[in-house]
Each structure stands twice: as C-alpha cells, then as structure tokens.
Amino acid sequence: MLNILILCPIVAAILALLGAPARPAALLASLINLVVALLALFQYDKTGPAFQFVSEFGILPEWRLTYLVGADGLSLLMLLLTAIVTFAAVWVTPAVARLEKQFYACLLFISAGAMGAFASVDLFFFYAFHELALIPTFLLIGIWGSGDRQSAAWKITIYLALGSFILLLGLIGLYQSVPVAARTFDIRALQELAAAGKIHPASANGVYLLLLIGFGILISLFPFHTWAPKAYASAPTPAAMLHAGVLKKFGLYGLLRVALPLLPDAARHWTHLLIILLIGNIIYIGLVTISQKRLDMMLGYSSVMHMGYIFLGIASLNTLGLNGAALLMFAHGLSIAALFAIAGQVGRRTETLAFEDLGGLAKPMPFLGFAFGLAAFASIGLPGFANFASEILVFFGAFQSHVAGSPFFGFRLATVLALWGVVISAVYMLRAYKAVFMGELPGRWSALPDLKFSLRLPIVLLLATLLFAGFCPRVFLAFLAPSVKAASFRETLS
Amino acid sequence: MDESSLPWIILLAPLVSVAVIVFLTQGSRTISAGVSILAVLVSFVASCLVFHAPDPAGVNQITWLDFPALHVPIGVTIDQLSKTMLIVVTGIGALIHIYSAGYMKGDDGESRYFAGLSLFMFSMLGIVLANNFVMMFIFWELVGVSSYVLIGHWFFRDAPPAAANKAFITNRIGDFGFMLGILMLWLATKSVVFTEIEKSLGVSKFENLNLTAATLLIFCGTIGKSAQFPLHVWLPDAMEGPTPVSALIHAATMVAAGVYMLARVFFLVQASPDAQWVIAFIGTITSLMAASMAIQQNDIKRILAYSTLSQLGYMVMAIGMLSKEAAMFHLFTHAFFKALLFLGAGAVIYGMHHEQDIWKMGGLGKKMPLTCATFAVGTLALIGCPGFSGHFSKEMILAAALSGSKWTFAAALATAFLTSFYMVRLFVVVFLGEPKTDAAKHGHDAPPVMALPLVILAIPSFLAGYGFFISHFVPLHGTEAPGFVSLFAFLAFASGAVMAVLLYRGKKEDPIHIGLLANKYYFDEIYAALIRWTQELLARQCGRFDRWVLDGLVRLLSGGTYAAGFALRSFQVGNLQAYAFLFGAGIVAFLWYVVSK
C-alpha cells in the first residue's frame, strides 16, 4: 500500500518524461494516491502494532541497506497531507509555457520523495527520500520561478544543502552511539533500544544539537529562516504549496520521529534554547511579517512564524503539546497550501502582489475573496478550523510544562508570548486581506475574471478538510496516540 | 421529540442556515433572507419551549477533545440565566432579522448579509449555552469573526473594512487575556468546565494572588467584547456596518456577551475581592466617560453607540459591586430599548436617504409619526423616565453603585444626568423644530416590515421593568432601592432632560463646543500614535534587521559564489547533474561511513 504511494508518482513522472500527456498523468497519479492514502487511513488498526503496512526489501544486505516502509498514525496523517496537497497543487497548476513534461515530473518527484520520507522506517531511506524531494524543488524555483528566481534558487539550494549536511552529521552521530552489535537503521529497533536505555551517545547533547539545527534549517527555525520567504515568493505556485505545505514538515516529522524518541534527555537539555528560538519565530518573525508589503512575501513569513507554534508544542514534550504540534503540522500544511494557491491565482491575473497596487478584488472575484478569507482565518487559528484545535492543544500543553529551575521564564513566558502572537497574526492577515480584497477597487482590476468552477475544487478540498478536522479533531488525534507516546516522556501538572 | 434535543436545535438552526445560504441560495436574495429568518424563528420557538420546561437534570454533551489532562466537552447549560438570555437573543434577533429584510432590500450582498446574521446568531447562542470555558472561547471568537463579516459588509468602501479589522483585532487583544485566564484556571483546577471549577475552587490550592489574576484575565475578555475602557475604541467605529447590525451588536448580542460571561462565572468574581474592585472601577470609568463623549457627537448612530458603552459600563460596575441581579436586569431592559432605538435610528436614516447627521434632520416628528412615537418610548426608557422599563433597572444599578462608595454613586448619578441630557438633545434636534434640510422636509415613515419590529419592541421597552414581567426572567429577591436613590435618580433624569430642552429647542447648530469630548478624549489619536511608535516601528526595524543583517549574514557566509555572481546567471537545467551530485555525494558519504565501521 505504501509502496503504491511512493511508486505511483515516480511511474507517472517517468511516463510523462517519455511522452505521455503530462497533466493527465500527474492528475491521475495524485488522485490514485489520494484514494490510497484514505484507504490506508481506514484500514489502519488503532489497536494493532504502531507500525503497519510494513514492507521490506533488502537491497545491499552487507551494507545494511534495506528498503523498509511502514506507517503509524503520525506517518499516515503526513501521508494524507502529502496526498491532498499534491492533488490540489497539480490541479491548480496553470498552463506551463515551457518544459511542461519536466515541470510535472518535478512536482511528482517532490510528492514521491515526501511520501517516501514519511513512510520510511529506515533511517537511511528516510534521509534519502527527502533529498529526492529537495532537488526538484530547487529546479522548479530556478527554472519556472518568477522575479529574481535564480538568486532565490541558489539561496535555498545552498541553505538547505547545508541543513541536510548538518542533519547528516547528526544522523551519523546518532548511528555511532548505538552499541556496535546492535547497529541498525530500523527506526523501530532504534526506538526500542532507546526505550531500554541502550543508546548512550558519548555526546548526546551535541548530536541532538546537530539534529535540531539540521532539521531546524529545513523547517526555517529562527534565525535560519531567511531562505524561506524569498523562495516561496519566487517559486511557481504548486512548488510553494508543496514545499511550504508538505516538505517543510519533514524536519518537524524528523524531530518527532527520530530526535525526541531516541535522545529524550538531550531534548530536555536543549529546551531552553529551543524556547528562545521559537519565540524568535513567533514574535520577531511575526513583526517582520507585519512589515511586509507584498502578499507572497507576507505569506512566506507567516508560514515561518507558524512554525514557532509547532516548535512550542514539540518543546513542551507532553501529550497535549505533542498532539497539538502533530495536528498543527497537518492543519498548517493545508491552510498554507490554500493561501498560496489563491495568491497564485490572484498574481496570475494582476501580475503584481504588492499591496499598494491591489484592493477591492473581492468585488470582481467573489469566490477567491471568500476562499482567501476562510484560509486566512484558518491560518490565524479561528475556531472551526483544525488550526484552532491544534493551537489550543499546544497552548495547554506548553502552559502545563515547565523547565526545572525557572517556572516562569520558560514555558509560561513562551505561552504568554505565543498567545500574543495570535494577536500579531490577526494584524498582518487582516491587513493583507483588506489591502488585497477590500476597499476601493482600482479601475483597471474591475474586469478580472473569478476562478473557474473546475479550479475551485482543490481549494474547496483543502478548506473542507480543515473544517472537518476542526469540528472533529478527535478523528485525527485518535491516530496519533502511539507515535506521540514514543516521543513524550514527561507528564507533569505543576 | 426529546426535550433534551431542544437546546441543540436552538444552537444549530442558524448554522444550518449559514450552510444553506453559502452552498445553495447565494443567488437568490429573497430565499436567503427567508432561510435566515426561518432559522432564527425556529431558534426562538425552541427557546420558548426550553423556557417553559423545567431545568433538565443532567447535561447532554458531546466530547470535542479528550485527554487525561484536558477534557473539553461541547455541552449546554440550561438554567434561569441562560433561559432568559436565550429569549432575549433569539427574540430580539428575530425582530432584527425581519427588519433587515426591509432595510437591506436591493443590496447586492443581501445573501452574504443574511449568512452573516445567521452566523452571528449561532455564535452568540453558543456563548449563551456554553458549559465550559473552551467552548465559550470558541463561540467568543466566532462572535468576533461574524461581527467582522457584518461590520465590513460594505467591503468595497474604505471605512467599513477598516472598522471591521479594528473590531476584530481589539477583540483579540481582549481574548489574549481571556485565554491566559482560562489556562491559569485550568492549571489550578484541572478542568475547564464551569461547574467543576466552581466546585474545586473551595478546595484547590489556589493562591489568592493567582485567583485574582485569573479572574482579571478572564475579565479582559469582557473588556474587549463589551467594549469597556480601555478597549472601547472599536465600538463607535463599528457603526460603519448596516444599521440593523448595529442594533444586533449593541442590544442583545455581542456586547452583552461580556456581561453575560461575568454573570456565568460569577463565582469567580465573588471569590476575589481585589478583582471586584477593578471590575467596578473599569465599569464606572467607562459609563461616565462614554456618556460625556455622547453629548458632543452629531452622528445619530454614534450617539447611540456611546450610550451603549455607557450603559454597559453600568452593568459591569454592578457586577463588580456583586449585584448580578442589577446587571442582568439592566441588560434585559436595555436589550429591548436599545434595539428599539437603533432600529428607530435605522428608520430615520432610511427615510432620510442615508443621512446620519442630526443637524441635517429636524421636524421629523411630523413626517415620521410612528418612528417618532416609538423612538420616544425608547428614549424615555433609556433615560429612566418613571414608569418606563429603564427606570426600574437603573434604580437597581444606582443602588448597587451606592453599595460601593459615595464616589461610585456620584459617578453613576452623573452618568444618568448626562444620559438624559444627550438623549433629549438627540430627540429634540431630530424630531422637533423645523426641518433643517430638504431631505428632512421629505422624510417618510419606514415600510411595514420595518415598522412592525419597532412597534413590537416598544411594548417590552415600556413594560419590562414591572414586577409581573421581569420576575419571570430575572429573580430579583424583592430588593428595593432606598427611597432617596429614587429621588436622586429622578432629579438626574429631570435636570438632564430640562437642560437639554432649554439648550437645544429651536437651535440650528450646536450651541456648545467642547473639543475634548467631540474628539472622544483623543483616544483614537493616542492609540494610533502608540501603535505607530511601538508595533509599527518595531515591525519596520525587525523587517530591516531581517533583510539586511540576518539575510546579509547569510549572503556573506555563502560568500564566494554569491558575490561573484557568475553562478547566478548560469542556472540551467543542465545543472541538474550538479545538484544530483551534491546530494548524491552526501548519501555516499553516509554509506561510506556506515560501511567503513
């Protein structure tokens, strides 16, 4: 089942490159994946073992190289996210002027890479699949991007390559800290070893720091975030949707899947640092977001800012916070994809996304205005959307946690500031909404066509999923219990 | 049908209406209006049934979040308080819906408007029914967003969306405190459900300081939603919305939510004496300040808006004085006469072709006899004329103020005097004397669909204060104000009215000018400067820092290739191999390392 999720986009990409009609192939592959991801979710047995749908295939046994996939609730949620966002991104892709085949192939490879990374139970493939997804991202920005696309592409390439490299060092360090006899890439086995206290890295804190910074760069953790807004502003819409919505979650997923369960004490050791950095994400980036003057840059920064809330949930290391963080990964992925999709449609029509040029666009384009409103309110955590349910959990989880020795200047302060961030996000989102869609309509925009009916479906799909998960968060949270259990080790009520 | 499902019908009927309008009837304005009105009538009828049924023994609820440490149900509370509030919200809401069908006729966004009204009803009813803090917070925020939709209804102009943003963001500042208060209470009592918190309040290890802090943080929610000083600035601007929306926001729903919430968690207020003092103080300041601003406003809706602020200040003050009955009594009567006044103002504006300046009206009493008569009832009720509903509730408020200190009593009396003054001023300038413009000469009464709600609202505006009426809604325990309170109240009412008549009869323009009041104590200017010099300045500096320092550092570090620039210009598909190599190299390094061990 998981193999289909990974192989289907690859096959479609190869067929497209070989001359099959690219768009239908991509659409079909992403539709199949959506169905398969949903099926997997329904078939997952919540009472069974954590990792299910396991399939194994030894490639180079003497190199300990084994293709090993499997999924628990957390992976399934991420796989579903990947499937939904891929489907929406492919669907909203406008006519590609040049190299259409390659364009769709790139999108499909990103999807396959993300699927592979989230489905891998093998540390090596977990890393390699992510790399597979990154390369086409760079290409999409460098070749089909807009504005100063080449410098944006270079920056994201160099920056993320650095992040991957640091991450690699961390993973090597982790591997090395397992007793020689028990060395394995199998994440399940590693988690068991960790639970039994058999992983004793000589320098656990150092290894964790490498992982935190490596993953952190990929997630745009403050102050390693400057690659993100520009890259998203230059990237073609579907690439921005896929990267901000899905691929960026790889780092967070890695923290939850690898770093926390395997090095819990080190995670606690660095809590203070993480709190300081995530406050940077929320408050500092929040303020930077307010100062933006273009819609795409504003969205890029807002996505960086919201990473702070997920980090807050992860840092809290308790059930509430971790569940909130995991659900927020899902919710944020959908809402930011919807926002980028809509901004892309607006940009195609107006050829500018500067606030000073726009205004009143909801009049000629009521659907886009309405959908942007919903997505904007979702992203600032309005009740009814999944973002609210997850942020509430993060707040409760963080408030419950505390750092030994400093009860207030740790999580309490972080929670207070994160709550203030909710005000900040309302400021920049509503300002942007007003600047683009409300107020006086400049004469030259009065005849812009609204979104075609057929193109509305993917946006509706994204928003409907957000609403469903917001009304019934327990449906999704029910899947997360075992994975979160592995990552959480502190259950305290002060 | 099972009686326990009635509260859910009340709550969900408007939500269904939202869905139907958004998905099905957007194209037809009339059907959308019909759907919305039908939904609110369903809620109203169900509310009446609930009102007459005995209180249910258990609570039926569904679980929204379920963790060992945090259990959040979505459940309903049915008691005297919520029953009364249900009747007020759905009853007045229904009249405003019907009135809107006339007022909004021909507006392009009528469907959107009615979807907004239904969303508003859903959110407000959720607050009324909520049995726990998180559920209340959910609907609290939803009220914020539905007011955003309605205030910004005419989004293609500049002022309404700005006012909508201001309302939403100001409310979120209040909600910031509200949520923090919820977190503190939860941490101390391990619950978010009202009844459970109340129970464990006595036995928990809650320190006094924490309880006071938590209560005041919860009170922040009220400050935002009920527009109390210092977060009152959004309410007058909210007048940018269509007039029936103002009536809805001001009379029965949004702003009343803050007072209702305090009444719902009254046990918290009772338990923390320090918080009581602050609450009473804020309420007193708001009532006096808003009343003084009202006497120098010229926009008919803004005068009423400041009057709402002032009356809400009364209610909050009464809560702070631990007189929940007085607060709810005044909330109850105020809901009727303020709805009546706003809808009357709407009829005036409608008859004047969207003119809102009272100095361009005059003599409308002859042109709009029905509007004038009902507006007179509303005015007399608001200024506390003996015999009208407002008289009774205001006396109780004054009695509550007296229980504090002579200063609060004096402030409350001064507010009563000012209220009487500015309302009579308004009435004299608008309805009496000679028409001041052509539009005023040709004014006319509103069509029946708008006139009917006025007449219906005039009845409770007069009657709601009498014992046979109010005793069904707010248990007053036979509290009687001391005789001299009645005397003072009468003096304040009479002197204000007489002064206003003497000053404004036959005047063509305002004989008094007090810049400080006309400019609302410069709050807007002060806040604008504050925002400019803190948030905006900080945001700009952060933006610069991010662009030039952090990003500059990255550019510096990525050094060679970047500065040379040649690589930038040679980005081609052919470079795929380069990237593939880069990443392949990483993987190979990993493998090599593993194997060589």
Side-chain angles (χ1 to χ4, degrees):
Chain A
M1 201 152 227
L2 304 175
N3 298 327
I4 303 177
L5 290 175
I6 300 167
L7 282 176
C8 189
I10 294 181
V11 170
I14 291 170
L15 286 178
L17 287 175
L18 290 178
R23 188 177 162 81
L27 266 177
L28 186 66
S30 52
L31 183 63
I32 292 174
N33 265 3
L34 185 56
V35 174
V36 173
L38 280 172
L39 276 180
L41 210 61
F42 282 119
Q43 283 190 7
Y44 183 77
D45 177 10
K46 277 172 238 162
T47 56
F51 285 94
Q52 297 175 20
F53 315 111
V54 177
S55 84
E56 197 169 353
F57 175 68
I59 295 179
L60 286 170
E62 65 274 26
W63 283 34
R64 296 203 184 95
L65 199 53
T66 315
Y67 170 85
L68 174 62
V69 293
D72 67 349
L74 177 64
S75 341
L76 280 176
L77 213 56
M78 291 296 109
L79 292 171
L80 181 67
L81 172 71
T82 312
I84 295 176
V85 173
T86 306
F87 180 66
V90 169
W91 193 314
V92 299
T93 302
V96 184
R98 61 200 178 96
L99 303 172
E100 192 192 18
K101 287 187 287 193
Q102 286 86 341
F103 185 92
Y104 279 103
C106 281
L107 288 185
L108 289 166
F109 270 112
I110 296 180
S111 183
M115 291 282 189
F118 293 136
S120 289
V121 188
D122 180 278
L123 211 51
F124 172 78
F125 276 93
F126 163 78
Y127 178 82
F129 269 120
H130 175 251
E131 304 286 275
L132 174 72
L134 273 185
I135 300 165
T137 314
F138 305 149
L139 293 177
L140 280 168
I141 296 172
I143 299 170
W144 292 276
S146 60
D148 193 4
R149 62 174 196 263
Q150 295 177 340
S151 93
W154 263 109
K155 190 195 259 173
I156 184 176
T157 308
I158 293 171
Y159 219 140
L160 294 194
L162 180 72
S164 294
F165 180 66
I166 295 174
L167 171 61
L168 188 59
L169 294 180
L171 290 178
I172 291 173
L174 190 64
Y175 182 81
Q176 194 188 20
S177 56
V178 179
V180 180
R183 276 185 188 168
T184 170
F185 285 137
D186 187 337
I187 293 177
R188 294 171 303 178
L190 286 170
Q191 283 187 358
E192 270 164 33
L193 285 172
K198 290 207 177 111
I199 298 187
H200 291 297
S203 48
N205 292 343
V207 170
Y208 187 85
L209 189 62
L210 284 176
L211 291 177
L212 183 63
I213 293 177
F215 282 130
I217 289 177
L218 302 179
I219 312 166
S220 63
L221 173 65
F222 170 84
F224 310 114
H225 62 273
T226 57
W227 59 267
K230 239 187 208 149
Y232 294 149
S234 301
T237 304
M241 289 168 73
L242 272 172
H243 195 276
V246 177
L247 211 51
K248 202 153 90 167
K249 306 295 176 296
F250 167 81
L252 296 160
Y253 176 82
L255 284 177
L256 285 175
R257 172 68 77 225
V258 178
L260 293 189
L262 301 189
L263 301 169
D265 291 325
R268 194 186 340 221
H269 179 84
W270 292 110
T271 299
H272 251 127
L273 175 72
L274 184 55
I275 286 181
I276 292 167
L277 297 186
L278 74 88
I279 289 174
N281 267 73
I282 292 174
I283 298 294
Y284 166 80
I285 302 289
L287 288 168
V288 176
T289 316
I290 289 183
S291 74
Q292 295 307 306
K293 295 184 171 63
R294 292 164 48 90
L295 182 60
D296 45 5
M297 289 293 279
M298 189 283 286
L299 291 179
Y301 271 111
S302 88
S303 132
V304 176
M305 178 204 179
H306 281 111
M307 293 303 111
Y309 290 95
I310 305 179
F311 277 119
L312 182 58
I314 288 178
S316 73
L317 291 172
N318 57 34
T319 314
L320 294 176
L322 290 169
N323 271 296
L327 192 62
L328 190 51
M329 285 158 68
F330 183 71
H332 174 267
L334 296 172
S335 58
I336 196 71
L339 285 168
F340 273 125
I342 296 163
Q345 290 294 337
V346 172
R348 259 166 57 77
R349 287 163 171 73
T350 58
E351 291 177 349
T352 168
L353 285 173
F355 290 145
E356 54 177 7
D357 297 336
L358 301 170
L361 293 184
K363 191 99 183 163
M365 309 190 290
F367 175 82
L368 280 177
F370 179 60
F372 189 90
L374 288 185
F377 275 113
S379 91
I380 63 175
L382 188 80
F385 295 99
N387 309 57
F388 172 78
S390 13
E391 276 176 24
I392 276 282
L393 283 174
V394 168
F395 291 142
F396 276 94
F399 207 67
Q400 189 189 28
S401 237
H402 59 93
V403 185
S406 54
F408 187 78
F409 291 100
F411 282 103
R412 297 288 154 77
L413 185 65
T415 315
V416 172
L417 291 174
L419 276 171
W420 187 254
V422 173
V423 178
I424 293 180
S425 61
V427 170
Y428 63 65
M429 229 10 136
L430 293 188
R431 257 190 208 177
Y433 192 29
K434 174 172 178 288
V436 176
F437 287 100
M438 296 184 183
E440 304 274 353
L441 177 70
R444 59 189 161 137
W445 305 134
S446 59
L448 291 182
D450 202 359
L451 195 61
K452 269 196 306 192
F453 202 76
S454 61
L455 284 179
R456 294 179 186 186
L457 189 102
I459 292 171
V460 170
L461 175 72
L462 294 170
L463 295 175
T465 315
L466 278 174
L467 277 170
F468 176 69
F471 273 78
C472 320
R474 287 170 70 213
V475 173
F476 293 86
L477 289 170
F479 284 96
L480 294 172
S483 358
V484 164
K485 209 167 164 192
S488 80
F489 55 89
R490 207 159 23 142
E491 203 55 59
T492 46
L493 258 171
S494 70
Chain B
M1 188 170 49
D2 186 11
E3 245 171 32
S4 65
S5 59
L6 279 173
W8 299 106
I9 294 176
I10 298 175
L11 182 62
L12 292 178
L15 183 65
V16 171
S17 155
V18 176
V20 168
I21 295 176
V22 168
F23 290 114
L24 299 174
T25 68
Q26 257 190 55
S28 164
R29 298 180 207 158
T30 331
I31 300 179
S32 299
V35 168
S36 182
I37 291 171
L38 183 69
V40 72
L41 287 177
V42 167
S43 292
F44 178 63
V45 172
S47 297
C48 290
L49 293 175
V50 167
F51 191 81
H52 285 292
D55 290 359
V59 205
N60 53 353
Q61 54 183 35
I62 51 172
T63 302
W64 188 63
L65 287 176
D66 190 20
F67 289 97
L70 175 68
H71 179 82
V72 180
I74 298 288
V76 296
T77 310
I78 299 291
D79 57 6
Q80 185 63 49
L81 187 64
S82 60
K83 278 176 169 179
T84 300
M85 203 66 187
L86 282 178
I87 295 288
V88 172
V89 170
T90 56
I92 294 178
L95 290 172
I96 292 170
H97 275 65
I98 294 169
Y99 179 95
S100 296
Y103 193 88
M104 298 303 287
K105 204 163 196 64
D107 190 289
D108 281 341
E110 206 180 328
S111 289
R112 177 162 44 85
Y113 173 84
F114 275 101
L117 277 192
S118 285
L119 183 65
F120 208 122
M121 292 310 287
F122 169 65
S123 324
M124 188 62 207
L125 290 168
I127 291 182
V128 174
L129 289 170
N131 73 341
N132 67 78
F133 267 118
V134 174
M135 176 176 172
M136 186 172 263
F137 186 83
I138 288 174
F139 286 99
W140 198 259
E141 285 268 293
L142 287 178
V143 163
V145 79
S146 39
S147 71
Y148 172 88
V149 171
L150 289 171
I151 295 169
H153 177 71
W154 288 309
F155 66 86
F156 39 85
R157 303 209 293 250
D158 275 332
N165 280 6
K166 190 170 173 181
F168 190 85
I169 291 166
T170 312
N171 267 294
R172 269 231 158 157
I173 295 174
D175 294 353
F176 159 73
F178 190 13
M179 190 71 226
L180 211 52
I182 295 174
L183 288 173
M184 281 186 75
L185 279 177
W186 166 74
L187 208 55
T189 66
K190 301 185 174 49
S191 174
V192 293
V193 180
F194 297 140
T195 50
E196 289 170 15
I197 294 179
E198 187 173 4
K199 241 179 262 161
S200 60
L201 213 55
V203 292
S204 77
K205 49 180 177 170
F206 226 134
E207 294 159 37
N208 222 350
L209 185 66
N210 277 345
L211 182 61
T212 303
T215 308
L216 287 178
L217 285 168
I218 299 273
F219 176 58
C220 285
T222 300
I223 295 183
K225 199 111 310 183
S226 289
Q228 296 294 294
F229 167 82
L231 295 183
H232 62 279
V233 288
W234 66 269
L235 193 70
D237 285 38
M239 294 297 116
E240 291 294 342
T243 306
V245 169
S246 312
L248 192 63
I249 291 179
H250 280 240
T253 58
M254 185 161 174
V255 293
V259 177
Y260 174 79
M261 188 262 275
L262 286 183
R264 172 61 67 211
V265 299
F266 198 60
F267 56 90
L268 281 179
V269 183
Q270 280 173 317
S272 43
D274 292 333
Q276 290 159 17
W277 180 82
V278 176
I279 293 171
F281 180 72
I282 296 276
T284 310
I285 293 273
T286 309
S287 61
L288 191 57
M289 183 193 71
S292 65
M293 291 193 273
I295 62 174
Q296 280 281 289
Q297 302 302 315
N298 297 323
D299 181 317
I300 184 168
K301 282 173 73 179
R302 280 184 187 253
I303 297 173
L304 294 177
Y306 284 108
S307 145
T308 304
L309 281 181
S310 167
Q311 301 301 308
L312 283 163
Y314 264 168
M315 299 173 211
V316 169
M317 185 268 290
I319 295 267
M321 297 295 179
L322 290 186
S323 181
K324 184 167 94 171
E325 290 82 14
M328 285 310 292
F329 187 13
H330 200 54
L331 190 158
F332 186 73
T333 57
H334 176 262
F336 293 111
F337 60 68
K338 191 47 74 59
L340 172 61
L341 286 170
F342 264 109
L343 294 186
V348 169
I349 295 166
Y350 187 86
M352 292 279 297
H353 304 288
H354 294 276
E355 180 55 62
Q356 300 188 190
D357 188 340
I358 58 170
W359 294 101
K360 294 187 176 151
M361 299 173 183
L364 291 180
K366 289 182 203 122
K367 310 285 176 192
M368 313 179 173
L370 184 84
T371 309
C372 175
T374 50
F375 202 91
V377 173
T379 306
L380 290 171
L382 170 57
I383 65 182
C385 177
F388 287 81
S389 64
H391 168 74
F392 300 97
S393 54
K394 196 174 281 183
E395 264 187 10
M396 279 202 61
I397 295 274
L398 289 172
L402 188 61
S403 73
S405 73
K406 55 181 191 274
W407 295 110
T408 49
F409 184 62
L413 266 186
T415 306
F417 163 77
L418 290 170
T419 309
S420 185
F421 181 82
Y422 66 71
M423 281 312 292
V424 173
R425 165 185 183 257
L426 167 70
F427 192 83
V428 168
V429 172
V430 171
F431 290 102
L432 306 182
E434 294 301 312
K436 297 175 184 68
T437 56
D438 281 347
K441 280 181 196 138
H442 302 113
H444 54 84
D445 255 330
V449 67
M450 290 166 67
L452 183 71
L454 294 181
V455 175
I456 295 177
L457 279 169
I459 298 167
S461 295
F462 178 69
L463 284 181
Y466 289 99
F468 70 88
F469 197 109
I470 188 65
S471 58
H472 295 288
F473 296 96
V474 183
L476 291 176
H477 308 305
T479 36
E480 276 286 322
F484 73 92
V485 171
S486 303
L487 179 67
F488 274 112
F490 180 76
L491 286 179
F493 147 72
S495 56
V498 170
M499 269 185 74
V501 171
L502 292 178
L503 258 172
Y504 286 96
R505 202 181 48 179
K507 290 289 187 322
K508 293 243 180 293
E509 57 186 40
D510 202 332
I512 40 177
H513 293 285
I514 308 173
L516 185 66
L517 300 184
N519 288 301
K520 313 148 207 165
Y521 297 104
Y522 299 96
F523 268 108
D524 281 326
E525 287 76 7
I526 293 168
Y527 284 176
L530 203 66
I531 293 170
R532 191 163 55 244
W533 291 109
T534 55
Q535 177 195 285
E536 295 301 310
L537 187 71
L538 214 57
R540 240 192 341 270
Q541 296 314 324
C542 286
R544 289 209 184 109
F545 182 82
D546 207 59
R547 185 156 173 205
W548 300 113
V549 180
L550 277 187
D551 199 30
L553 219 64
V554 173
R555 269 176 280 178
L556 209 67
L557 288 179
S558 66
T561 49
Y562 204 96
F566 70 93
L568 303 185
R569 279 177 277 281
S570 64
F571 199 105
Q572 295 296 332
V573 197
N575 287 17
L576 176 59
Q577 290 89 331
Y579 307 117
F581 176 75
L582 207 63
F583 288 99
I587 295 171
V588 170
F590 190 26
L591 274 182
W592 167 80
Y593 182 85
V594 169
V595 173
S596 65
K597 279 274 139 180

